[in-house]
Amino acid sequence: MTETRIRFGILGCANIARKVSRAMLLSPNTTISAIGSRSLNKATAFALENHFPDSAKVYGKLRTPYWRPDVDRFSVPLPTKSAFEVGCSGC
């Protein structure tokens, strides 16, 4: 039986996102499919610095990964108020 990997989207490039993304990449059951940031340059640099898979999509808007069909779950490593605002916008 083949296990399906959980495909994550990361919303934001905060320092905690580095730790979370490393854990995701070490897990055999997960992969990173997308990252969104307020800056495309910052998201691109973050993905490269943290060795995201080549297949990971990079966006210059935080909310864009919400509508990706290849993202199953999200990590929102933002301050509480921002995380709430970003999280509620995807509802």
Side-chain angles (χ1 to χ4, degrees):
M1 181 171 164
T2 304
E3 289 191 34
T4 303
R5 297 177 104 190
I6 298 171
R7 303 168 299 178
F8 275 91
I10 299 176
L11 307 180
C13 297
N15 282 332
I16 190 67
R18 293 183 193 287
K19 294 177 183 177
V20 171
S21 66
R22 286 183 188 143
M24 289 177 186
L25 293 171
L26 289 172
S27 171
N29 301 326
T30 63
T31 189
I32 299 172
S33 294
I35 182 161
S37 175
R38 291 183 182 100
S39 160
L40 180 59
N41 290 338
K42 188 172 182 178
T44 301
F46 188 89
L48 289 171
E49 291 167 8
N50 292 285
H51 311 288
F52 282 19
D54 292 337
S55 60
K57 307 292 188 285
V58 180
Y59 300 99
K61 293 187 178 182
L62 280 174
R63 294 174 179 98
T64 303
Y66 272 128
W67 296 279
R68 296 284 319 157
D70 58 345
V71 175
D72 301 315
R73 299 286 182 266
F74 294 95
S75 173
V76 188
L78 299 171
T80 304
K81 183 179 179 186
S82 298
F84 178 77
E85 291 170 357
V86 170
C88 287
S89 70
C91 298

